């Protein structure tokens, strides 16, 4: 049932609510876009139409009787609105993943209809990392994948979206846990410790060389995770059962078990964010030391 709120009875008031994506307007009316044939909630994160193309209806039934279709993003015909914050963040993540070059903060904010400041705060609160950190993890994942396809290091770096090879090489060893050439050769001669533990995303395998984290992988079966590790690093000396390393991994995951709104995000987004958070925390721990954290 639509609510009757005085400030949303006039077209001027309704248009103002659409422009501001006023959450108080949700349930008061729906708006339709003449050029697309779709109707939305006032809070929908889709691109705002030009004013001359906007049509307003008291109910979603009236919009459908006029020939408009419901928006799949904000589902205006349902009684409960989706989490628009999570929706905006998921859309931004998709843009980052599909972009050849890293989008700027302003480009991402404009795409979801928010100010850069508000979008940055919302993204970090929802995902647990910044948009830039998310983009970095995605690029590093692409580098790892491409190197395993026997591509040259230079091609892998540029195909992943790095603007220059020098930027990648500055952190290559710590980003991959070894030299790119060693990674490309399946970790030949590299000693790797690993542990498989439970997380809120299921089983997670974390592997590290003396240089740093070289793999974070998720799955439903610990044995499959170990098989994938061996396939990625067939030439490495794999070491399981290191009590000190297993303790550090367990303490790190316990520290990061705070997904909050992130549980409503797609699993691939959660996985990428979790990889980056784990990587960032474990990189601060010196070999042979134990983990201790403060909020």
């Amino acid at each position: 049932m639509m609510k009757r709120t005085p400030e949303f009875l006039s077209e001027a008031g309704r248009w103002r609510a659409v422009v501001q994506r006023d959450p108080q307007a949700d349930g008061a009316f729906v708006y339709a876009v003449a050029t697309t044939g779709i109707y939305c909630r006032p809070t929908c994160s889709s691109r705002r139409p030009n004013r001359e193309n906007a049509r307003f209806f008291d109910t979603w039934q009236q919009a459908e009787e006029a020939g408009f279709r419901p928006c799949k993003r904000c589902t205006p015909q349902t009684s409960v609105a989706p989490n628009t914050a999570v929706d905006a963040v998921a859309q931004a993540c998709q843009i980052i993943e599909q972009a050849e070059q890293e989008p700027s903060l302003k480009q991402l904010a404009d795409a979801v209809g928010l100010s850069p400041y508000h979008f940055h705060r919302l993204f970090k609160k929802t995902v647990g990392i910044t948009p830039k950190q998310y983009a970095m993890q995605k690029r590093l994942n692409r580098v790892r994948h491409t190197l395993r396809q026997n591509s040259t290091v230079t091609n892998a770096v540029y195909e992943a979206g790095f603007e220059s090879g020098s930027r990648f090489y500055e952190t290559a060893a710590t980003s991959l846990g070894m030299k790119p050439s060693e990674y490309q050769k399946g970790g030949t001669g590299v000693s790797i410790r690993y542990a498989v533990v439970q997380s809120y995303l299921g089983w997670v395998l974390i592997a590290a060389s003396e240089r740093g984290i070289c793999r974070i992988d998720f799955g439903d079966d610990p044995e499959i995770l170990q098989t994938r590790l061996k396939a990625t690093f067939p030439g490495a000396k794999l070491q399981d059962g290191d009590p000190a390393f297993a303790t550090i991994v367990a303490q790190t995951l316990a520290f990061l078990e705070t997904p909050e709104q992130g549980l409503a995000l797609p699993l691939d987004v959660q996985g990428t964010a979790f990889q980056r958070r784990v990587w960032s925390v474990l990189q601060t721990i010196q070999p042979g030391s134990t983990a201790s954290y403060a909020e």
Side-chain angles (χ1 to χ4, degrees):
M1 180 179 294
M2 292 290 179
K3 53 189 178 184
R4 307 296 292 177
T5 308
E7 60 266 39
F8 303 134
L9 294 179
S10 68
E11 289 207 353
R14 290 180 172 184
W15 176 245
R16 185 164 51 249
V18 170
V19 171
Q20 298 173 349
R21 291 191 172 90
D22 188 347
Q24 298 298 319
D26 190 43
F29 65 93
V30 298
Y31 76 93
V33 184
T35 52
T36 65
I38 294 173
Y39 69 92
C40 302
R41 296 175 185 270
T43 54
C44 185
S45 60
S46 61
R47 184 177 179 180
R48 280 191 296 267
N50 293 328
R51 174 63 185 89
E52 61 269 20
N53 294 325
R55 306 288 186 270
F56 301 101
F57 298 93
D58 291 336
T59 66
W60 64 265
Q61 290 92 338
Q62 291 178 356
E64 293 201 352
E65 288 174 2
F68 292 97
R69 308 184 309 277
C71 173
K72 293 182 179 180
R73 177 175 296 168
C74 67
T75 58
Q77 78 278 26
T78 60
S79 59
V80 179
N83 190 326
T84 54
V86 170
D87 183 71
V89 168
Q91 181 185 355
C93 290
Q94 185 177 37
I95 292 172
I96 292 172
E97 292 162 11
Q98 295 176 348
E100 293 186 3
Q101 299 295 330
E102 180 184 344
S104 68
L105 180 64
K106 186 177 187 305
Q107 287 174 326
L108 291 171
D110 288 346
V112 299
L114 299 171
S115 71
Y117 175 76
H118 181 57
F119 168 72
H120 190 273
R121 289 188 62 189
L122 177 67
F123 192 100
K124 187 171 183 180
K125 179 181 178 182
T126 306
V127 182
I129 58 175
T130 66
K132 190 172 189 65
Q133 290 172 323
Y134 184 87
M136 173 61 76
Q137 188 61 42
K138 275 296 179 182
R139 290 203 300 274
L140 290 175
N141 286 345
R142 289 176 192 167
V143 169
R144 297 184 185 104
H145 175 76
T146 307
L147 284 176
R148 291 198 296 271
Q149 307 304 311
N150 295 319
S151 172
T152 65
V153 175
T154 300
N155 286 343
V157 169
Y158 282 103
E159 287 180 19
F162 285 92
E163 296 179 357
S164 68
S166 59
R167 289 190 61 189
F168 173 74
Y169 277 104
E170 288 173 0
T171 59
T174 54
S175 299
L176 298 175
M178 61 192 73
K179 295 178 181 178
S181 58
E182 292 173 330
Y183 194 98
Q184 189 178 40
K185 295 176 182 177
T188 300
V190 178
S191 296
I192 296 176
R193 296 181 296 170
Y194 71 93
V196 183
V197 296
Q198 279 275 19
S199 75
Y200 69 85
L201 292 175
W203 289 101
V204 57
L205 178 148
I206 297 177
S209 69
E210 293 182 355
R211 289 178 177 265
I213 305 301
C214 58
R215 185 173 179 84
I216 300 175
D217 194 12
F218 302 93
D220 299 324
D221 188 325
E223 292 186 3
I224 292 178
L225 291 176
Q226 294 179 62
T227 299
R228 292 206 294 245
L229 175 67
K230 294 174 182 177
T232 301
F233 301 112
K237 302 173 184 177
L238 301 179
Q239 179 184 354
D240 185 17
D242 183 327
F245 184 67
T247 298
I248 290 174
V249 168
Q251 290 178 338
T252 301
L253 296 190
F255 172 68
L256 297 175
E257 289 279 337
T258 54
E260 298 178 347
Q261 293 184 34
L263 285 176
L265 289 166
L267 285 177
D268 59 335
V269 173
Q270 293 185 56
T272 299
F274 197 63
Q275 282 180 318
R276 189 63 189 179
R277 295 178 70 199
V278 171
W279 185 90
S280 298
V281 171
L282 289 180
Q283 284 298 119
T284 66
I285 301 171
Q286 297 299 318
S289 64
T290 57
S292 61
Y293 308 101
E295 290 286 356

